[in-house]
Amino acid sequence: METELSEFERQMRRDINSFMDKAQETRRKAATSAPEWPIEDKSNAKTKPKAPRSKPGGSPKTGHRVKLAVRTKQLEMDTVFEHVSSSISKIEAQLEAEKAARKAGYPIIGFVIETTRL
């Protein structure tokens, strides 16, 4: 039994040493050699289709979309006015939307219908 145990220990030491030698060798290679980046073919790059964007190119990346209930006369039905703001503040986006609605010719702003983040 003692010989089997000692043989097992020797085998494990050999395995551990060979593993550590390989790990050190790969670390040395990584430290001394430059990284190998894939080379892109210029003619092939034009033929690959690009992934579709979730938003149109001109739309802001951050901000809020504010929907207001507006009307031009006191007894008129409410209409929805939508404004996209690049502000990250919800209150500031609502103020910008109200200013834009007044500028568009809606003097009466009833209430905020919805404010969503972009």
Side-chain angles (χ1 to χ4, degrees), residues 10-88:
R10 274 186 257 137
Q11 181 64 34
M12 291 305 293
R13 292 263 180 234
R14 279 183 279 185
D15 291 343
I16 290 171
N17 289 338
S18 68
F19 175 77
M20 294 303 286
D21 290 341
K22 287 180 184 176
Q24 288 175 354
E25 184 180 332
T26 55
R27 278 193 218 117
R28 257 187 263 120
K29 282 183 182 178
T32 58
S33 65
E36 297 178 14
W37 300 102
I39 300 171
E40 292 183 17
D41 187 14
K42 297 291 182 186
S43 62
N44 194 15
K46 293 179 182 177
T47 59
K48 289 183 182 177
K50 291 186 177 182
R53 294 187 58 152
S54 61
K55 297 178 185 176
S59 69
K61 305 289 184 231
T62 60
H64 289 84
R65 176 179 289 121
V66 182
K67 293 182 182 178
L68 301 173
V70 295
R71 51 189 121 118
T72 54
K73 297 178 186 171
Q74 187 70 29
L75 297 174
E76 190 177 73
M77 293 288 292
D78 289 342
T79 56
V80 177
F81 180 80
E82 188 173 322
H83 177 73
V84 177
S85 172
S86 62
S87 174
I88 59 172

Side-chain angles (χ1 to χ4, degrees), residues 68 70 81 96-107 109:
L68 301 173
V70 295
F81 180 80
E96 284 181 22
E98 290 176 7
K99 286 180 185 176
R102 285 193 182 93
K103 198 172 190 179
Y106 295 103
I109 298 170

